Amino acid sequence: MTGTLHGVGVGPGDPELVTLKAARLISAASVIAYPAPDSGIGFARSIVADLIPETAVEIPMVVPMRPDRFAAESVYAEVAGILADHLRGGVDVVALCEGDPFFYGSFMYLHDRLAGRFPVVVVPGVSSLCAVTAASGRPFCARAEGVTVLPATLSEEDLEARLSAAEAAAVMKLGRHFPKARRVIDRLGMTGRATFVSHASLPNQRVAPLEEAPDEAPYFSMIVIPGRDAHA
Amino acid sequence: MTGTLHGVGVGPGDPELVTLKAARLISAASVIAYPAPDSGIGFARSIVADLIPETAVEIPMVVPMRPDRFAAESVYAEVAGILADHLRGGVDVVALCEGDPFFYGSFMYLHDRLAGRFPVVVVPGVSSLCAVTAASGRPFCARAEGVTVLPATLSEEDLEARLSAAEAAAVMKLGRHFPKARRVIDRLGMTGRATFVSHASLPNQRVAPLEEAPDEAPYFSMIVIPGRDAHA
């Protein structure tokens, strides 16, 4: 009997936005893997720190920041090898993931390396998108509206073309691309409908109409533009 | 002191996919509102049935099915009036919502009627989209990809135009629009990448490659088409 790999979404940051299922699996885990920076404990782990058993074997995945994708691949390959040993020995493994595992989640790097060989269960989590719209205080989409989620890393032209065709829209991964996203939203006349949210659900959460947003945006920030139907 | 209206997402159906925060608020609630059909208890309530205190005042919102939007409006107006009385009396209210409150959620109908007058807190939940992608067993979106969510209620031409421009995509609210969605996805050559999921996270969950999906789809079903980057 091989073990099962659980890809567990731990939500956007508030430890109370963890699901009962995630809490149960983490509390009972004997092997836990999670993304981690060069120093410090990592965001996903910090969210569920109070749930991790003292006896659990912890496997931090120290993934170099972009653009060194090749180095990241080798870290995931190495960690996948370690997890495969546990799984082969019949031990279940929990891999933590910020937000939701399959919504821009890092879990796919482990999934693609292990899913063919071992049973995998994905536990969905509260996505950053839902945390941001909740924080924005305005309904996001309704009825026959489409939703468009775009990374701000797109080119200015691409971002503009796609946003102009969108109904409810969110622009993610702002960071240094924030001024570009703002220019595009301004040109499209959408600024009045747009809300800026950073660190959604965390104590340092910040919510502002886009025109009153700060000049700089962290990576964990988003602009949401509700659809026109999203009102009663 | 007026009470606070809590719009609480209870997730896609599995009672374990409720967040710790939702569970805490529901367990302590004295007034709980939720959408309900003409007969029976309603899906949102059924998800958290074990958490609702026996002493809670329950307010089912019996909302007529489409297309009678006018009748639905009058139900929401009436319930909002009842909730306003509780809130004015200093009592907190919990309004349950399937999935996430602001992601195609019915909570907006209460929100729009009460948010200006009383404090509102929205507790995000696991969305149907995340439950479906988890069930599909394949990463949904990654890196610089955009996400497009479309209701199958769109016209065939509209659906085709928007899907053809999409990267990672999901088509929701299938029901009687399922054959149309299938035709469009077929014409675009996307069938091989598409997965059909109904009743995600529930005991009767069904997952199949789109080409092997049943002929009929319930309203609570979705087609997901992962983006091409969503692989390691």
Side-chain angles (χ1 to χ4, degrees), chain A residues 16 18-21 24 69 102 104 109 111-112 137 140-141 143 145-147 149 162 167 173 231-232, chain B residues 16 18-21 24 102 104 109 111-112 137 140-141 143 145-147 149 162 167 173 231-232:
Chain A
E16 269 208 292
V18 170
T19 63
L20 302 174
K21 190 167 197 171
R24 172 174 61 81
R69 183 163 156 199
F102 280 166
Y104 297 102
Y109 298 101
H111 180 271
D112 281 13
F140 180 54
C141 55
R143 296 189 270 265
E145 277 176 340
V147 165
V149 181
R162 299 217 223 168
E167 290 164 328
K173 305 187 183 191
H231 291 281
Chain B
E16 269 207 293
V18 169
T19 64
L20 302 175
K21 190 167 197 171
R24 172 174 61 79
F102 281 166
Y104 297 101
Y109 298 101
H111 180 270
D112 281 14
F140 180 54
C141 56
R143 295 189 272 265
E145 277 176 340
V147 166
V149 182
R162 299 216 225 170
E167 290 164 328
K173 305 188 184 188
H231 291 280

